[in-house]
Amino acid sequence: MFFAQQAIPNLTEWGALHYWKSPLFKPHQIITHMFLHGNFTHILFNMLALWVFGSILENYWGAKRFINFYLVCGIGAALVQMLMIPFEARQAIGSHPDVPVEMVDAAVRQFTDEYSMIGASGAIMGVMAAFAYLFPNTELYLMLIPIPVKAKYIIPIYVLFDLFGGFSRQAGDNVGHFAHLGGALVGILIVIFQNRTNRRNFY
């Protein structure tokens, strides 16, 4: 799909997730957005995370159950992100007492109409959340940190970064923080429900 994006004009725009009230929105985008990426670095880090965490979950669950989980997390990420697009629009545009409310509202509408999101990050955050719940004491190495840290500490930190980033969005920030949070929320809810009779995993 990444190479197809480079070769086929308008494929990215066709498959990217738009706000549900935008004239550019099509229902298929709720799924297609997670198979498209913005550049090589974007797909490289997403696929690295998918390989590191997803391969273990796939071996644990089996391929069919894993792909269903992955897709549901990606859909959940899309729905949460769409819900929060107007909030992100107002954050990005800001407000000033001297600017008429009508102008701000018009700018928000234009932002939401033109908004688009691509990437597998939301689904992958669901995978990471599930991994942290099911294999909490697995030790992981992070770049720049020379000591191993358990998954149950690392992955919640990623979630906190997205929580902070989503509610204090800075200019130029093009990360779908709420998609990440939505994917992580869906992922953790699914594994908690599936393991509701097992309380020993996280300790």
Side-chain angles (χ1 to χ4, degrees):
M1 289 302 297
F2 181 70
F3 290 120
Q5 283 180 260
Q6 319 311 312
I8 302 174
N10 301 323
L11 177 61
T12 301
E13 186 67 18
W14 172 85
L17 180 71
H18 294 83
Y19 185 49
W20 67 278
K21 289 185 177 180
S22 168
L24 300 174
F25 172 73
K26 299 292 185 294
H28 67 260
Q29 295 167 358
I30 293 173
I31 293 177
T32 55
H33 80 278
M34 67 182 96
F35 296 98
L36 304 173
H37 288 83
N39 53 49
F40 181 74
T41 303
H42 189 197
I43 192 171
L44 175 66
F45 281 99
N46 272 351
M47 294 304 101
L48 179 62
L50 180 60
W51 173 66
V52 169
F53 301 104
S55 59
I56 296 172
L57 288 182
E58 185 183 22
N59 288 333
Y60 184 67
W61 282 337
K64 183 177 180 180
R65 183 175 171 187
F66 175 75
I67 191 62
N68 288 336
F69 174 84
Y70 179 84
L71 291 173
V72 169
C73 287
I75 291 169
L79 295 177
V80 171
Q81 184 65 32
M82 277 202 294
L83 183 67
M84 299 302 293
I85 287 171
F87 174 78
E88 288 195 345
R90 293 198 175 274
Q91 278 191 308
I93 293 164
S95 61
H96 192 278
D98 297 332
V99 179
V101 174
E102 294 80 8
M103 290 184 63
V104 174
D105 290 342
V108 169
R109 285 194 298 272
Q110 182 178 359
F111 181 101
T112 56
D113 282 347
E114 296 176 356
Y115 180 92
S116 65
M117 182 187 77
I118 55 176
S121 305
I124 290 169
M125 279 297 292
V127 170
M128 292 171 66
F131 181 90
Y133 186 86
L134 294 172
F135 306 101
N137 295 310
T138 301
E139 293 185 332
L140 305 170
Y141 282 92
L142 291 177
M143 289 183 293
L144 306 179
I145 299 180
I147 58 173
V149 183
K150 291 181 178 180
K152 65 183 178 184
Y153 302 130
I154 290 179
I155 292 169
I157 289 173
Y158 279 107
V159 172
L160 288 174
F161 276 131
D162 277 312
L163 196 61
F164 176 79
F167 285 99
S168 60
R169 195 175 192 87
Q170 302 297 314
D173 183 354
N174 63 352
V175 176
H177 295 290
F178 291 112
H180 295 180
L181 293 169
L185 177 64
V186 172
I188 197 68
L189 288 176
I190 290 173
V191 292
I192 288 174
F193 178 77
Q194 291 174 343
N195 292 270
R196 58 192 181 280
T197 59
N198 179 10
R199 300 300 181 194
R200 295 178 300 169
N201 273 16
F202 204 71
Y203 301 100

